[in-house]
């Protein structure tokens, strides 16, 4: 064990955890070959001893690394690619490199990617994408980020509530509220939400905004149906088939992101259902291709490129005593995919 005043070593962690030096090294680097139970025990011992893993020490002792680690849910989703573009823009201005990882909306894989970035000795970690409505799911990620920051790393998030770090928070609830009011103003009363996977805070927040709009207009909850699916274009296609089969009275579909909205439009087109003559469709995010769809998509505009820049700028600032929050605002952009509700 370390003597008084001596920095704890990897061998001290291995001895306290009763594992080999190689096993301790693999666990702290986030590599495969160690069971989850053993790896958790080793990391807890490291935290208890105040051990600084080599990836931290070699890189952060003399200042921030020149690499930014960015974790997104899905690299081919235009929402995340535009956010990544903002991160890359500012990183280039600051002489930094960006390493991008994909979590696939899997919290366990996200944790693995997070540990990978730490092992790769990045100086800044940015996490972009919805959080999870069960705080226990994010507890391990929060613990890793807390340790990373304690040893000089910097962290910021986009769209996350519970990580205890600086964050850029999209205007999700207000945006959902604006979409529903727009459709109600057009006379729609049979509205169905094409929602992403249950358990995502982004889905819950946007759905809460839609529901609050119905309450504000005195409409019964039965006027709103919700169908969950993958938060992707393919998910939008599958959900639309389910809506047409199970909720044929629907006159408007609210897709909770533009990727799903693209899938909705694709299915309606293949089924020869006129948009907006028979069915109005709205999305959320206003990705760059939304205006070029046929019909062009009514959606909520978020400043995605600026969100990426803002997150990195927060991470570049000295750490504050309390996490900083930046709200994005939102704008309803009305295009050709919405129109008056069809008459009976």
């Amino acid at each position: 064990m370390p003597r008084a005043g001596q920095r704890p070593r990897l061998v001290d962690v291995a001895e306290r955890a009763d594992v080999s030096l190689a096993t301790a090294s693999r666990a702290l680097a986030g590599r495969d070959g160690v069971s989850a139970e053993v790896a958790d025990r080793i990391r807890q011992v490291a935290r208890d001893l105040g051990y600084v893993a080599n990836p931290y020490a070699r890189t952060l002792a003399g200042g921030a690394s020149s690499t930014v680690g960015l974790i997104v849910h899905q690299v081919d989703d235009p929402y995340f690619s535009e956010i990544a573009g903002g991160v890359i823009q500012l990183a280039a201005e600051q002489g930094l490199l960006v390493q991008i990882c994909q979590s696939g909306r899997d919290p366990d894989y996200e944790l693995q990617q997070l540990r990978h970035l730490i092992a790769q000795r990045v100086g800044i970690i940015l996490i972009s994408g919805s959080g999870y409505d069960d705080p226990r799911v994010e507890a391990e990620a929060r613990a890793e980020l807390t340790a990373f920051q304690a040893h000089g790393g910097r962290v910021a998030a986009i769209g996350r509530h519970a990580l205890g770090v600086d964050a850029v928070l999209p205007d999700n609830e207000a945006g959902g509220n604006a979409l529903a009011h727009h459709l109600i103003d057009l006379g729609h009363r049979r509205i169905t939400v094409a929602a992403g996977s249950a358990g995502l805070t982004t889905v819950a927040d946007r759905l809460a905004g839609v529901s609050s709009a119905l309450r504000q207009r005195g409409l019964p909850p039965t006027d709103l149906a919700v169908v969950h699916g993958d938060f992707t274009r393919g998910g939008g296609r599958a959900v639309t088939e389910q809506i047409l089969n199970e909720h044929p009275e629907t006159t408007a579909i609210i897709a909770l992101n533009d990727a799903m909205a693209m899938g909705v439009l694709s299915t309606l087109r293949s089924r020869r259902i006129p948009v907006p003559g028979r069915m109005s469709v709205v999305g959320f995010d206003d990705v760059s291709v939304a205006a070029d769809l046929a019909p062009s998509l009514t959606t909520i505009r978020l400043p995605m490129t600026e969100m990426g820049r803002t997150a990195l700028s927060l991470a570049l600032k000295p750490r504050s005593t309390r996490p900083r929050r930046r709200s994005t605002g939102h704008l309803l952009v009305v295009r050709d995919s919405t129109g008056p509700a069809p008459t009976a």
Side-chain angles (χ1 to χ4, degrees):
M1 299 304 295
R3 293 185 294 273
Q6 183 183 37
R7 182 186 297 273
R9 303 162 299 166
L10 180 60
V11 66
D12 300 319
V13 175
E15 289 177 358
R16 173 73 70 88
D18 194 25
V19 298
S20 70
L21 195 61
T23 297
S25 177
R26 283 197 300 272
L28 295 176
R31 294 196 295 269
D32 295 335
V34 184
S35 71
E37 181 181 358
V38 173
D40 287 343
R41 185 175 82 247
I42 293 168
R43 284 189 288 268
Q44 185 59 54
V45 167
R47 286 192 288 268
D48 292 344
L49 291 178
Y51 171 72
V52 180
N54 284 341
Y56 293 146
R58 287 198 297 265
T59 302
L60 300 175
S65 162
S66 62
T67 301
V68 177
L70 171 62
I71 301 175
V72 300
H73 279 335
Q74 190 173 344
V75 294
D76 61 351
D77 185 326
Y79 174 82
F80 294 109
S81 62
E82 291 182 36
I83 286 174
V87 173
I88 291 168
Q89 284 178 9
L90 183 55
E93 295 167 13
Q94 299 294 321
L96 302 171
L97 300 175
V98 180
Q99 179 177 342
I100 301 177
C101 301
Q102 173 174 293
S103 71
R105 298 185 178 88
D106 179 339
D108 292 329
Y109 190 61
E110 178 182 271
L111 183 63
Q112 183 179 334
Q113 294 298 303
L114 172 61
R115 289 169 177 160
H116 169 76
L117 289 174
I118 293 171
Q120 292 298 309
R121 312 171 195 174
V122 301
I124 293 172
I125 293 176
L126 305 178
I127 301 182
S128 177
S130 176
Y132 305 93
D133 60 12
D134 183 352
R136 292 173 297 179
V137 172
E138 296 192 304
E140 286 189 89
R142 181 167 181 154
E144 293 285 350
L145 293 173
T146 298
F148 179 68
Q149 290 186 110
H151 296 293
R154 291 292 296 118
V155 180
I158 299 172
R160 301 295 279 264
H161 300 274
L163 290 178
V165 301
D166 293 345
V168 178
L169 299 178
D171 211 355
N172 287 325
E173 186 167 345
N177 188 275
L179 286 174
H181 276 295
H182 170 64
L183 292 173
I184 294 168
D185 288 342
L186 289 170
H188 293 279
R189 296 297 181 269
R190 297 301 178 186
I191 300 170
T192 299
V193 178
S197 305
L200 297 176
T201 57
T202 294
V203 171
D205 292 345
R206 293 179 180 182
L207 187 57
V210 173
S211 299
S212 68
L214 267 69
R215 291 194 299 273
Q216 291 160 6
R217 301 297 286 270
L219 300 176
T222 53
D223 282 0
L224 184 69
V226 179
V227 180
H228 290 280
D230 291 340
F231 222 13
T232 63
R233 189 178 309 177
R237 287 194 292 264
V239 164
T240 305
E241 292 287 357
Q242 188 175 345
I243 291 171
L244 296 175
N245 291 332
E246 299 179 4
H247 306 281
E249 73 284 359
T250 298
T251 64
I253 296 176
I254 298 176
L256 292 188
N257 70 5
D258 285 350
M260 292 194 83
M262 292 177 200
V264 172
L265 290 174
S266 175
T267 296
L268 294 176
R269 184 166 54 250
S270 70
R271 296 278 292 264
R272 292 181 168 80
I273 296 174
V275 177
R278 163 64 181 86
M279 187 82 73
S280 287
V281 178
V282 299
F284 204 120
D285 297 330
D286 196 28
V287 298
S288 57
V289 300
D292 300 323
L293 299 173
S296 58
L297 182 64
T298 294
T299 187
I300 291 294
R301 177 175 295 166
L302 296 178
M304 292 166 289
T305 300
E306 189 58 34
M307 287 157 57
R309 292 183 63 95
T310 301
L312 180 53
S313 71
L314 286 172
L316 290 170
K317 297 177 185 292
R319 187 181 178 189
S320 63
T321 54
R322 300 181 64 182
R324 293 167 285 221
R325 298 287 186 264
R326 299 289 186 270
S327 179
T328 63
H330 71 281
L331 177 67
L332 173 66
V333 180
V334 178
R335 298 194 180 101
D336 297 335
S337 67
T338 51
T343 57

